[in-house]
Amino acid sequence: MSERGWDELGEDLADFRGRVAELEAVRGLPPDRLARSLEAVLIELRYAADHLWPRYEELVRRTRSGGGTGRQEEQLLRALFQRLPLPVALLDREGTVRRLNHAGAQLLGVGAGYATGRPLAGFVDPADRAALRSQAAAVARGDGDRSIVVGLQVPGESGRPPGHWQLTLAALRPPGETRNAVLTVFQTEGRRGAPVSGRAAPGAEEGALRHELSAATREAVLLDVLDEATTALLSVRSAAPGEVLGAVARALRGTVADWVIADAVDEGGALRRCAVVRPPGEDADGPAGAMEAQDPASCPVVVEAASGGVVTVRVRPEDAGCFGRDAQGRAMLTRAGVLSLVCLPVCRPPGSAGPAVSAVLTLFRSGGRRSGAAAPGPFSMPEAGVLERVARHTALVLGGPVTPPP
């Protein structure tokens, strides 16, 4: 199809519309002066019927006859992209995911639609994010293909960490665009050119079965979380904030999280750290010791929950400093390898004295270490809903008996 043909037709249509607008302006003239204008109207109608419309039909015919093969090739390339056995993503110059194939979505543990529009750096370890962004930008500028090894913040099979992956970045100019995109291929480190796994992607029936099993597993996990937390709260023999928060933190650590941090809010609104329940085998001199010595007021996400009373769920948080930093300025989330977090305000029952929020529970889930926790991957919204119930039950224990409304 000739682009010039469409341009010329557009210019003729613009001139035609201008002449029609001038003819519309003479409608208010006396009837004896409209004869010449009516003749001009007929001329313009004949021009549209005999000249403009046939040209439009001819251009449409050429477009359809010349573009069929191109569309078929485009559909074929899209099918090949989706069925590649290697995880592949198409990024823009800022490192945002434009397309993700089935193998890539399976590797990252999310749907392709969820990943689209999100930065790929959000799925890698915080220490590797800046390097990935810089390399992707260099490839998009045309500085040549690159390769980088990064750690992914996604769980492997059976909760095992997936280790480090080698990303091969190559510039690609999509049809009809003026800027390069970045084609990204994921390969296991040290196995360039080898398949990611020895088996093919699951079929439709196997995938449906896995989906049903995973849904049933999630329901069982949520029931376990609620049961363990409720049992711990009913077993506490004291209403002291430290004992109550410590008990519920240990229960949550054993069922749904890698780390649980509990902060109490005193009558004056000041935050006080009560408990830091760390993964088994975690050295007390590492991140756990830094969290125990930390002032909760230096944790923006905790302060926000204590003042606003809103549950916060963050998956692969971009702001690594949202839970504060240690004495050396290192972000706590980076030191603990946090994949996602949930911050739960423990709100007092209506009519209770004191601040509206009596405590804040913060749960971490690590991408590289499961350490016995029950549910891999980032926190989901159903899990956040169950944890909110746990926070309400905790508030009842901390606040004492509540008189039901009449």
Side-chain angles (χ1 to χ4, degrees), residues 174-197:
E177 299 188 15
T178 59
R179 291 186 173 183
N180 288 332
V182 180
L183 186 66
T184 305
V185 180
F186 297 77
Q187 295 169 282
T188 51
E189 186 181 6
R191 293 181 60 196
R192 300 190 63 179
V196 174
S197 65

Side-chain angles (χ1 to χ4, degrees), residues 150-224:
V150 300
L152 293 182
Q153 279 198 328
V154 292
E157 295 180 0
S158 304
R160 293 191 299 270
H164 286 78
W165 289 73
Q166 184 164 341
L167 274 57
T168 302
L169 312 176
L172 177 68
R173 180 69 60 86
E177 299 188 15
T178 59
R179 291 186 173 183
N180 288 332
V182 180
L183 186 66
T184 305
V185 180
F186 297 77
Q187 295 169 282
T188 51
E189 186 181 6
R191 293 181 60 196
R192 300 190 63 179
V196 174
S197 65
R199 62 180 185 275
E205 295 181 359
E206 183 183 353
L209 178 59
R210 287 189 178 184
H211 177 74
E212 293 177 1
L213 291 175
S214 62
T217 302
R218 286 194 298 269
E219 292 294 332
V221 168
L222 295 180
L223 288 175
D224 286 345

Side-chain angles (χ1 to χ4, degrees), residues 15-354:
D15 295 339
F16 174 73
R17 293 183 60 182
R19 293 193 299 270
V20 171
E22 292 178 356
L23 291 172
E24 288 180 346
V26 304
R27 286 184 299 179
L29 294 176
D32 58 340
R33 300 182 57 185
L34 285 177
R36 286 177 293 181
S37 298
L38 290 175
E39 183 179 357
V41 170
L42 292 174
I43 292 174
E44 294 298 340
L45 290 175
R46 179 60 59 187
Y47 171 74
D50 295 344
H51 183 68
L52 295 179
W53 182 253
R55 287 180 60 191
Y56 170 76
E57 287 184 325
E58 177 64 17
L59 288 172
V60 170
R61 185 186 64 78
R62 293 180 183 178
T63 301
R64 290 175 177 173
S65 62
T69 303
R71 285 197 300 273
Q72 291 176 359
E73 290 181 353
E74 183 178 354
Q75 292 174 358
L76 176 61
L77 290 175
R78 289 187 178 185
L80 290 174
F81 176 83
Q82 290 296 338
R83 293 181 180 275
L84 281 174
L86 289 173
V88 180
L90 187 66
L91 314 179
D92 62 14
R93 60 190 303 112
E94 284 80 26
T96 302
V97 177
R98 292 179 50 175
R99 290 186 182 277
L100 184 68
N101 71 346
H102 296 314
Q106 186 178 7
L107 171 64
L108 298 182
V110 298
Y114 175 87
T116 302
R118 299 176 183 271
L120 181 62
F123 295 92
V124 308
D125 291 342
D128 299 329
R129 291 175 181 174
L132 175 60
R133 291 192 187 99
S134 297
Q135 296 284 22
V139 172
R141 288 194 305 265
D143 293 345
D145 300 343
R146 305 294 177 93
S147 180
I148 181 175
V149 176
V150 300
L152 293 182
Q153 279 198 328
V154 292
E157 295 180 0
S158 304
R160 293 191 299 270
H164 286 78
W165 289 73
Q166 184 164 341
L167 274 57
T168 302
L169 312 176
L172 177 68
R173 180 69 60 86
E177 299 188 15
T178 59
R179 291 186 173 183
N180 288 332
V182 180
L183 186 66
T184 305
V185 180
F186 297 77
Q187 295 169 282
T188 51
E189 186 181 6
R191 293 181 60 196
R192 300 190 63 179
V196 174
S197 65
R199 62 180 185 275
E205 295 181 359
E206 183 183 353
L209 178 59
R210 287 189 178 184
H211 177 74
E212 293 177 1
L213 291 175
S214 62
T217 302
R218 286 194 298 269
E219 292 294 332
V221 168
L222 295 180
L223 288 175
D224 286 345
V225 172
L226 195 57
D227 177 70
E228 290 294 330
T230 303
T231 301
L233 289 171
L234 293 175
S235 303
V236 175
R237 301 186 180 277
S238 171
E243 293 191 24
V244 174
L245 294 175
V248 72
R250 288 188 293 273
L252 293 176
R253 160 64 195 94
T255 55
V256 75
D258 292 317
W259 297 77
V260 181
I261 298 93
D263 298 305
V265 182
D266 63 19
E267 296 300 324
L271 287 161
R272 174 174 56 87
R273 184 138 298 172
C274 293
V276 175
V277 185
R278 61 183 185 268
E282 184 71 34
D283 190 355
D285 296 332
M291 292 181 193
E292 291 174 355
Q294 186 183 26
D295 181 6
S298 66
C299 305
V301 69
V302 175
V303 174
E304 181 182 358
S307 59
V310 179
V311 177
T312 300
V313 182
R314 297 193 182 183
V315 178
R316 302 176 182 88
E318 283 291 321
D319 181 11
C322 66
F323 198 75
R325 300 178 181 273
D326 61 13
Q328 289 74 37
R330 294 172 293 182
M332 291 294 188
L333 298 187
T334 302
R335 291 195 62 183
V338 174
L339 169 66
S340 65
L341 66 86
V342 175
C343 203
L344 301 162
V346 179
C347 301
R348 295 182 187 273
S352 302

